[in-house]
Amino acid sequence: MSIPANRFIQVFLPKIAKIAAKASLNQFGFGFAGDVLFEAAESFFKGAAPADARKALEEIIQKPAEFAKNVEAAIADQPAEVQAAAKLYFDQVPNAIRRGALTLGGREDIARGTLSNEIPLLNANDLWDLIPQSMPNFKVGDKPVESTDLELTGFLGKGGFGEVWRAKHSNRPFSGEVVLKFCIDQTAIRSLRSLQREVELLDRLGQSFSHPQIVKLLYSYLDRSNPCLEYEFVDGGDLEQYMERRNENRLTPTELVDLMIHVVEPVAFAHKHGIVHRDLKPRNILVSISQGREIFKITDFGIGGIIRREERRHSHPSGTSEHSTMSRGTYTPLYASPQQQDGENASKLDDVFALGVIWYQLLL
């Protein structure tokens, strides 16, 4: 039996088809695409009670894997260009709703997979703060890192650092895929380019004190028109997806303790060498399968702390950071300690706090 697409997909898919029809005009950015997506947000509320709208969004964040299946079913008979555009957009939706809900308030609510009643959901303007407001800047097949043979093979999502894509070296067909994390925000780009030497130092640190459970930073391209970092690719999804797969065969408390020990080990190793993560969350804990055994790997080590130091260097006298977009991007509010959210210096306790939140979520 086919899985019916929910209301959000039904409303947004025709608008995304309209965007895809204009893709040849290079209008995947905010402009045209943003206007059309706002039209979809308006349509979402027509004939729907606010409670129904809230329930539809909560179903997306509670069951992202089911949402992805609904998308696949809905786009199956669409032209190839519409399928590609729809997948690019809808893949962003669950995480965008979570991020938006955290920004608007209700840490405990979003941890339970619900939206706080303090978040109004009455019209398109309310929904606009909870959904992706533009299409990704690239598409599969693009080669956005000049002077390299890196070709994009799949969109992985958006995060505080920018857009995240799978890629391959087209001139090295047997080298395997990598992950490219692009910095899109122009203010953040100026900050990142000044970090070239510090990122290289972090890279050398990773090579000198490598750990099998820390995802390797392979190369930095911060001097390019589309600055990005190249990481090793871990095929197996993240901890959030892993727990969704285990939903029918839930882990026992003892098994969860064993899982957390494996997660804590690489974090403790990094702390020993003076690196604090500052953005630990299920999406930064990747799962690799080796000989039938799960290996949990941590990605994005140290980048958040480095960027945060640079922001403080450019802070206004009032104490408000000039790079406010990147400030929000260096941590995820649900997992950030109160001290971290107050802008205090990086501490190992920030990671301990985040690990506690993750463990609490796993137990529930």
Side-chain angles (χ1 to χ4, degrees), residues 3-272:
I3 303 173
N6 66 21
R7 177 176 174 79
F8 187 92
I9 299 171
Q10 293 171 342
V11 168
F12 273 76
L13 183 55
K15 302 298 183 181
I16 291 174
K18 183 178 179 181
I19 295 171
K22 295 286 187 178
S24 59
L25 300 180
N26 196 25
Q27 291 177 305
F28 257 31
F30 179 84
F32 171 80
D35 292 341
V36 175
L37 292 171
F38 193 81
E39 291 174 7
E42 291 178 320
S43 300
F44 183 73
F45 283 94
K46 289 180 179 176
D52 293 334
R54 186 179 300 272
K55 182 179 179 182
L57 297 181
E58 288 178 341
E59 286 178 355
I60 292 172
I61 58 175
Q62 289 168 0
K63 302 175 181 178
E66 184 174 316
F67 177 71
K69 290 180 181 177
N70 289 346
V71 171
E72 290 181 10
I75 67 176
D77 59 350
Q78 296 290 326
E81 63 273 16
V82 174
Q83 291 190 32
K87 191 169 190 321
L88 284 174
Y89 184 78
F90 287 125
D91 281 352
Q92 305 176 66
V93 170
N95 200 40
I97 296 173
R98 291 192 194 94
R99 283 202 311 267
L102 284 169
T103 301
L104 296 171
R107 180 189 282 228
E108 293 81 8
D109 294 283
I110 199 65
R112 293 192 296 266
T114 60
L115 300 178
S116 170
N117 289 327
E118 296 177 4
I119 300 174
L121 275 175
L122 302 175
N123 53 47
N125 287 314
D126 297 333
L127 182 63
W128 194 240
D129 292 328
L130 296 173
I131 63 172
Q133 299 169 359
S134 65
M135 298 296 291
N137 285 262
F138 313 112
K139 61 182 183 299
V140 172
D142 282 353
K143 292 186 176 182
V145 186
E146 60 263 37
S147 303
T148 75
D149 64 338
L150 286 165
E151 179 180 327
L152 303 184
T153 58
F155 180 64
L156 294 176
K158 285 189 177 181
F161 200 78
E163 291 184 10
V164 185
W165 288 79
R166 282 186 4 229
K168 65 179 180 181
H169 288 274
S170 57
N171 294 334
R172 297 163 55 201
F174 302 107
S175 63
E177 288 188 305
V178 296
V179 169
L180 296 179
K181 299 195 173 186
F182 291 92
C183 185
I184 304 300
D185 182 84
Q186 291 301 312
T187 304
I189 286 172
R190 289 195 294 272
S191 177
L192 276 172
R193 281 177 175 155
S194 69
L195 302 178
Q196 180 74 53
R197 292 186 62 185
E198 291 195 73
V199 171
E200 289 174 356
L201 181 63
L202 180 65
D203 189 25
R204 288 198 298 273
L205 181 66
Q207 296 297 328
S208 301
F209 304 100
S210 61
H211 189 286
Q213 288 176 259
I214 294 179
V215 177
K216 289 182 180 178
L217 173 63
L218 302 176
Y219 203 79
S220 61
Y221 304 97
L222 301 184
D223 58 344
R224 310 302 164 92
S225 59
N226 296 305
C228 66
L229 300 175
E230 178 183 350
Y231 286 88
E232 69 169 308
F233 174 64
V234 179
D235 188 8
D238 57 37
L239 182 59
E240 185 177 285
Q241 294 166 330
Y242 172 76
M243 293 304 292
E244 286 175 18
R245 293 196 297 268
R246 292 298 304 258
N247 192 43
E248 298 300 321
N249 185 21
R250 295 178 68 91
L251 296 175
T252 66
T254 301
E255 290 172 325
L256 285 174
V257 169
D258 187 52
L259 185 158
M260 283 303 298
I261 289 174
H262 287 295
V263 169
V264 167
E265 284 176 345
V267 177
F269 176 87
H271 286 180
K272 181 180 177 181

Side-chain angles (χ1 to χ4, degrees), residues 338-355:
Q339 296 85 352
Q340 186 175 358
Q341 296 198 49
D342 286 342
E344 295 185 14
N345 290 333
S347 165
K348 297 174 184 177
L349 296 180
D350 298 332
D351 290 348
V352 174
F353 183 95
L355 288 168

Side-chain angles (χ1 to χ4, degrees), residues 349-364:
L349 296 180
D350 298 332
D351 290 348
V352 174
F353 183 95
L355 288 168
V357 176
I358 292 169
W359 196 350
Y360 176 75
Q361 288 181 308
L362 294 178
L363 287 169
L364 291 180

